[in-house]
Amino acid sequence: MRTYSLTVLLWSCMFHAIHMMPAERRTNKHSHSERITGLSENDGKTLHRNKRGWMWNQFFLLEEYTGPDTQYVGKLHTDQDKGDGNLKYILTGDGAGSLFIIDENTGDIHAAKKLDREEKSLYVLRAKAIDRKTGRQVEPESEFIIKIHDINDNEPKFTKDMYTASIPEMAGVGTSVIQVTATDADDANYGNSAKIVYSILQGQPYFSVDPETGIIKTALPDMSRENREQYQVVIQAKDMGGQMGGLSGTTTVNITLTDVNDNPPRFPQSTYQFSSPESASPGTSLGRIKANDPDVGENAEIEYSISNGDGADMFDIVTDKDTQEGIITVKKHLDFENKMLYTLRVEATNTHPDPRFLQLGPFKDTALVKISVEDVDEPPVFSRPWYLIDVDEDVKEGSIIGEVEAQDPDIAKNAIKYSVDRHTDLDRIFNIYSGNGSLFISKPLDREETPWHNITVIATEINNPKQASQIPVFIRILDINDHAPEFAKYYETFVCENAKAGQLIQTVSAVDKDEPPRGHKFFFELVPEFALHPNFSIVDNKDNTAGIMTRRNGYSRNKMSTYLLPIIIFDNDYPIQSSTGTLTIRVCACDSRGNMQSCNAEALLLPAGLSTGALVAILLCIIILLVLVVLFTTLKRQRKKEPLIISKDDVRDNIVTYNDEGGGEEDTQAFDIGALRNPEAREESKMRRDVIPETIFQIRRTAPLWENIDVQDFIHRRLKENDLDPAAPPYDSLATYAYEGNDSIANSLSSLESLTTEGNQDYDYLSDWGPRFKKLADMYGGEDSDRD
């Protein structure tokens, strides 16, 4: 087996100032063969191992070489190279062929470009020699390292071109603001190329910087934001430990002092003047005041208040949160005639004081505010905010019901006229005297129709009609007893033919449009003619209802199919009012339990059988009767009345006659018989009929007085009272009382039974009737002598 020996020579070409590092020993030894003899299992041949006679070393190249030629690195050579050009040297690895080139014939290695350690500091290369003819390596491939030697070619660079920081004002000395950092791309492990020192170029004497850490700190105490808010500090970072020749870089730090509440508010002036018209409504703004605070944000927020002064109750002050101004407003209505000048003490206080600076003094300030009230022409002012007037329902037209009062609040005291707003009194029921404000009635009142009237009275200054004010007047109509009670509804009931005596067949109730203060109280009675009705009776239940009771056993439809029962209803107010209602009672057939089965069936079926002709005949008869009644009435009105006294020489007393004829005993609506039925009630009151009664006396319902007193005695007493009281109105009327006892021998005095002829009649029989008719007998008995 052939043995080859390879020698590689690396010559380092460097500047004279740089030499090889002796720590790494370089040797070039000629290789010699070391024979190793051994037996092979197969052929027992002798084996030989080639011992290499050279060793690779680590070499350095200078970065950033700027010489005219390429930088020489070294030479690759082997003992197998005979110089005949049969061997070819090849270099592979980092940068081979681009950064590092080799002469394949001689094995010289050069650096083709400038090397930058900051880009790459270490290159690993591999070298081999190849026989050109066979293409085989004459030696195994070997590896070597080239390191780039650093020079100070990079200046320090800060992580930011500009820094921004802030610190509260009034901070102590040495307070940390911010830390700046710079880096150097040079090798920190070789020399001082990457050793950085910080210094401050701009910003003294306010700030300082730590040379090793780059921390910026305050250098002056009590720096005030109000004096200066922004600071610009320039910091330098220099390598080579800050020595001369080192490279440097700078950065700018913008430092802002933040605000703290170290300043109290201050008013720019001690006194403020404002004015307000007396007509200003509550809430009206009069002006603004402002206390200055050099602080900003919430440290400058101010709260305004009125600490004292005679106008503290009349005015108020609120804070405008946007402008930090105090707005003075009117709190109550002003009156120039009452007070013309007010003085206020206004206080401005910080809302967020800082406890660290309270020793600097109170964080508030005060100012004096004077407000003058200006006089304006004000409208009239009423003595009350509203008026309530009570009026009786029966008050006469033209009566004064009350008055309103207003006056001009100004010093001039202008005259005032009053009027009623007709929009509130469309019916013109009320009116007012323009001079004194007295209200009076123009039309009758009806409480049942309108219990309340709400009108508006206007007061206007005569000299300035634009100055007017109005006031509501509430008029309450007081009730008087001017309506009679009546049935609550139309009653129509029935009674069974087999009814027993004392059986309840109907309960009736009453209503009254009046509203007495003590509530309604009604009494029910049969009319006097039916007081002892043989068929029915009435029982007052004492609760404004009454029960209709049967008085006999059994009723017959054949004899009487319908009963009409008149009932008188009284109230308990003054004057007593009464009315008569008629209850219709039908007789019906009922079962044993009292359930109605049929009522007057024959009468109900009869009209159904009438023919059309019969109905037309009945209708014509009714029309003819109506025409006759109209004609008779017309002729009667045209008939000339003959005077009672024919001769002017008649010296007898004149009798004023009234041709009013009552409806007889059945007419209960023509006059009020309550007085006759309850004479003691009239006896107790004795109210004047020409004046309005001041009080209304309660009339207690007692037992019917006509059961205890003779009506004839009552009439005699009333006649005596009228004879003895010449002042009782009416003065020109004749108070007439009549009493007719039972079973009178004179029978009826009605003129309906008199003869219709105008012939002479004999009235001599009047003398036989006794002294009661003596006057009448004298008048008619002497007719012949008068004519003679």
Side-chain angles (χ1 to χ4, degrees), residues 566-577:
I567 299 174
I568 302 176
I569 309 173
F570 302 92
D571 59 18
N572 194 33
D573 206 355
Y574 181 83
I576 295 177
Q577 300 288 343

Side-chain angles (χ1 to χ4, degrees), residues 15-304:
F15 293 110
H16 297 288
I18 308 297
H19 55 271
M20 297 294 181
M21 293 183 65
E24 296 185 353
R25 184 169 145 216
R26 175 180 167 190
T27 44
N28 288 324
K29 296 182 179 180
H30 294 285
S31 61
H32 54 84
S33 299
E34 180 183 9
R35 180 174 293 178
I36 301 177
T37 305
L39 298 177
S40 172
E41 294 180 356
N42 297 328
D43 51 8
K45 294 181 180 180
T46 301
L47 299 176
H48 299 274
R49 180 173 69 86
N50 293 330
K51 184 177 180 182
R52 190 170 292 160
W54 51 270
M55 182 178 66
W56 292 105
N57 293 310
Q58 179 174 314
F59 296 96
F60 293 90
L61 285 180
L62 189 65
E63 70 168 337
E64 302 293 343
Y65 175 74
T66 58
D69 299 326
T70 59
Q71 187 177 6
Y72 182 74
V73 179
K75 185 178 181 62
L76 184 64
H77 183 73
T78 179
D79 293 342
Q80 302 295 329
D81 188 0
K82 303 300 183 179
D84 55 2
N86 290 330
L87 294 181
K88 179 182 179 180
Y89 296 96
I90 299 176
L91 185 66
T92 61
D94 294 339
S98 59
L99 294 178
F100 301 101
I101 58 176
I102 188 171
D103 189 336
E104 62 182 12
N105 294 323
T106 63
D108 293 330
I109 303 173
H110 291 80
K113 299 180 180 179
K114 290 192 301 181
L115 300 177
D116 189 355
R117 189 202 66 82
E118 285 72 34
E119 293 182 0
K120 192 173 181 63
S121 62
L122 181 68
Y123 296 89
V124 178
L125 298 174
R126 289 176 296 276
K128 58 184 176 179
I130 300 175
D131 191 337
R132 291 180 184 273
K133 295 179 180 180
T134 63
R136 296 177 60 188
Q137 294 184 6
V138 296
E139 285 287 348
E141 184 179 68
S142 298
E143 184 178 274
F144 65 96
I145 298 174
I146 299 175
K147 280 191 174 183
I148 308 302
H149 190 78
D150 183 42
I151 64 173
N152 190 15
D153 60 340
N154 291 281
E155 73 277 3
K157 292 184 178 181
F158 286 93
T159 56
K160 295 181 180 180
D161 295 334
M162 181 176 292
Y163 290 84
T164 301
S166 63
I167 185 175
E169 63 174 332
M170 308 298 289
V173 177
T175 303
S176 177
V177 180
I178 192 174
Q179 183 180 17
V180 295
T181 304
T183 58
D184 197 323
D186 293 327
D187 190 358
N189 298 321
Y190 179 77
N192 294 327
S193 298
K195 186 178 181 180
I196 300 174
V197 175
Y198 299 95
S199 62
I200 184 168
L201 300 181
Q202 178 183 327
Q204 294 176 333
Y206 306 104
F207 299 95
S208 63
V209 64
D210 189 302
E212 295 182 359
T213 62
I215 297 176
I216 301 175
K217 301 179 180 180
T218 58
L220 284 180
D222 300 334
M223 287 190 293
S224 176
R225 184 200 64 83
E226 289 73 30
N227 295 332
R228 183 176 178 182
E229 184 177 4
Q230 298 289 338
Y231 294 87
Q232 192 174 72
V233 179
V234 178
I235 302 297
Q236 181 189 64
K238 189 174 184 180
D239 59 10
M240 297 299 291
Q243 298 178 2
M244 292 184 63
L247 302 177
S248 64
T250 60
T251 187
T252 301
V253 182
N254 292 323
I255 301 175
T256 303
L257 295 184
T258 58
D259 185 56
V260 296
N261 193 3
D262 59 338
N263 294 281
R266 289 288 181 265
F267 284 104
Q269 58 192 73
S270 60
T271 305
Y272 294 85
Q273 295 280 349
F274 296 99
S275 62
S276 171
E278 64 174 335
S279 60
S281 59
T284 302
S285 174
L286 302 183
R288 294 171 176 252
I289 61 175
K290 180 177 176 61
N292 299 325
D293 192 333
D295 298 323
V296 294
E298 69 174 13
N299 297 322
E301 292 183 0
I302 302 174
E303 185 71 26
Y304 295 90

Side-chain angles (χ1 to χ4, degrees), residues 610-723:
L610 294 177
S611 62
T612 304
L615 293 176
V616 172
I618 294 173
L619 182 61
L620 290 175
C621 292
I622 294 174
I623 294 174
I624 293 172
L625 289 176
L626 291 176
V627 172
L628 292 176
V629 170
V630 171
L631 291 176
F632 176 77
T633 304
T634 304
L635 292 175
K636 187 175 181 180
R637 289 181 178 179
Q638 293 178 355
R639 185 176 179 182
K640 185 177 180 180
K641 297 181 180 180
E642 183 178 353
L644 179 62
I645 301 176
I646 300 176
S647 176
K648 294 182 179 181
D649 298 330
D650 196 322
V651 295
R652 291 179 296 176
D653 295 337
N654 295 332
I655 299 177
V656 179
T657 62
Y658 298 90
N659 192 18
D660 292 336
E661 180 176 333
E665 295 174 347
E666 294 295 332
D667 186 4
T668 60
Q669 298 289 349
F671 58 92
D672 183 8
I673 65 173
L676 295 177
R677 298 190 175 277
N678 193 359
E680 285 191 357
R682 298 288 295 271
E683 184 77 12
E684 293 172 1
S685 59
K686 290 187 179 180
M687 305 297 292
R688 289 284 301 273
R689 289 175 289 173
D690 58 335
V691 295
I692 300 176
E694 296 181 355
T695 58
I696 302 297
F697 297 96
Q698 180 179 3
I699 300 176
R700 296 183 180 180
R701 182 64 177 174
T702 57
L705 293 179
W706 49 87
E707 298 178 4
N708 303 325
I709 189 172
D710 189 1
V711 179
Q712 183 179 8
D713 295 337
F714 169 74
I715 294 175
H716 285 311
R717 288 193 301 183
R718 287 291 178 265
L719 181 60
K720 183 178 180 181
E721 288 176 2
N722 281 272
D723 292 338

